[in-house]
Amino acid sequence: KKGGFLHKLFLKKEKKLYEVSDKIGCMSKANVDFILNHNPEVNPNKLEINPNSIKPRKRVITFNQKQNIKTKYALPLDKKIFVYGGNLGKPQGLEFLLETIKTTKNEKVFFLVVGSGTEYNYVKEYFEARQPKNAKLLKGLPKNDYDMLLNACDVGLIFLHRNFTIPNFPGRLLSYLEMQMPILAATDVNTDVGKVIEQNKCGYWVESGDNKGMQEAIMNIMNDETMFDEMKTNSCVLLQNEFTVSRTYNLIKNKIDRV
């Protein structure tokens, strides 16, 4: 509870950590601004953007292999697969994901939801009750199987609850970038993950709950194949420029070398 004993205890520890740290790595610019706005005593020079990173694996998948994966998981062969993969919990604002599935009438769009979490049964109950023809739910898969499934999908989905006040930068972004997917994000207004996606021209952002905006974004993705291919290329470029292990290693190493 805010203002309670535990809150005060952890707040004290947080501020002590900021005080004794030489550098503070943040996921994004919004995280940097958040810390400075709530901790004006922190030296801004301590903070830097140093996000999560991966070592990208080169993936070559043929059209036939992609179709075989779709067949394995009983996915349509002639539609664009919009995939949401990962945690199914309260923070993701899954009501809007389900509303998007319900509202989308484009017959060339198919939604795949893959994951587990505290809200899995809630999502499962929706699928059992509604039996949507444009969507499929799969329980969380082992990582290798999940990565292979992502290879066969076309658009990566990110959902965050609209009531978030602390900037959240979802790690699932990196998985989608690795697969060279266009990305469609529906989040709160405090995170800047949507800004990163749109500034780098690898997808679209809408505010969570904006049904009209979501349908317009889906239409834009579906109606311009040239732009779709450009977004795929831009996703690869963004990953290589910002989210590789080698880049984050060098950021840390350069700081150590200067000490």
Side-chain angles (χ1 to χ4, degrees):
K1 182 180 177 181
K2 189 173 182 179
F5 172 75
L6 286 177
H7 177 261
K8 290 179 179 178
L9 176 64
F10 284 109
L11 184 61
K12 184 178 180 180
K13 288 182 177 293
E14 176 188 357
K15 290 185 177 295
K16 185 64 177 178
L17 280 172
Y18 293 153
E19 180 184 341
V20 301
S21 298
D22 296 307
K23 285 291 179 182
I24 302 169
C26 299
M27 290 291 294
S28 69
K29 177 66 165 54
N31 294 130
V32 172
D33 294 340
F34 183 86
I35 291 178
L36 292 177
N37 288 338
H38 290 80
N39 303 273
E41 73 280 2
V42 175
N43 183 345
N45 292 327
K46 281 189 174 185
L47 283 88
E48 67 176 21
I49 300 174
N50 196 329
N52 286 343
S53 58
I54 59 174
K55 186 175 182 180
R57 291 166 288 179
K58 187 174 183 180
R59 299 183 179 277
V60 179
I61 181 170
T62 66
F63 175 80
N64 287 337
Q65 288 172 326
K66 188 173 182 177
Q67 297 296 81
N68 288 339
I69 295 170
K70 286 183 176 182
T71 300
K72 176 180 178 180
Y73 291 98
L75 300 173
L77 303 181
D78 58 346
K79 299 182 181 183
K80 273 192 168 58
I81 308 298
F82 286 60
V83 60
Y84 173 89
N87 186 42
L88 298 173
K90 289 285 187 184
Q92 281 66 52
L94 297 172
E95 296 85 358
F96 188 49
L97 169 59
L98 300 181
E99 181 66 22
T100 298
I101 292 172
K102 176 183 175 182
T103 306
T104 303
K105 304 303 181 184
N106 190 317
E107 294 183 355
K108 289 295 183 178
V109 173
F110 191 88
F111 295 94
L112 174 62
V113 182
V114 189
S116 58
T118 59
E119 298 302 290
Y120 175 81
N121 286 335
Y122 163 71
V123 177
K124 182 180 178 184
E125 288 170 6
Y126 173 90
F127 272 78
E128 290 175 345
R130 299 273 185 169
Q131 297 187 2
K133 295 181 180 180
N134 66 335
K136 184 181 184 68
L137 173 66
L138 292 175
K139 188 77 172 178
L141 299 170
K143 179 167 173 52
N144 286 340
D145 292 341
Y146 174 69
D147 286 347
M148 287 299 296
L149 179 55
L150 279 188
N151 267 306
C153 298
D154 301 290
V155 179
L157 296 172
I158 292 174
F159 282 82
L160 290 176
H161 200 286
R162 66 186 304 173
N163 292 336
F164 265 125
T165 57
I166 298 174
N168 187 319
F169 203 89
R172 80 188 69 241
L173 171 68
L174 275 63
S175 297
Y176 297 154
L177 295 179
E178 186 179 23
M179 301 296 168
Q180 299 183 26
M181 287 183 181
I183 299 160
L184 177 52
T187 75
D188 59 279
V189 297
N190 294 295
T191 178
D192 56 352
V193 65
K195 183 181 294 185
V196 170
I197 290 168
E198 291 203 325
Q199 286 181 345
N200 288 277
K201 299 181 179 179
C202 54
Y204 294 92
W205 172 83
V206 299
E207 184 176 351
S208 181
D210 181 1
N211 210 350
K212 181 180 178 181
M214 175 61 84
Q215 292 306 311
E216 288 177 352
I218 292 173
M219 181 179 66
N220 289 337
I221 289 173
M222 295 298 296
N223 289 349
D224 193 332
E225 201 65 34
T226 299
M227 183 178 292
F228 185 86
D229 290 338
E230 290 176 356
M231 288 190 292
K232 291 175 62 175
T233 299
N234 293 339
S235 289
C236 180
V237 172
L238 175 59
L239 178 65
Q240 293 292 338
N241 287 346
E242 301 292 338
F243 300 108
T244 62
V245 169
S246 59
R247 179 177 182 273
T248 53
Y249 165 78
N250 285 325
L251 284 171
I252 295 171
K253 185 175 183 298
N254 289 340
K255 299 302 181 298
I256 295 174
D257 290 343
R258 294 174 187 173
V259 175

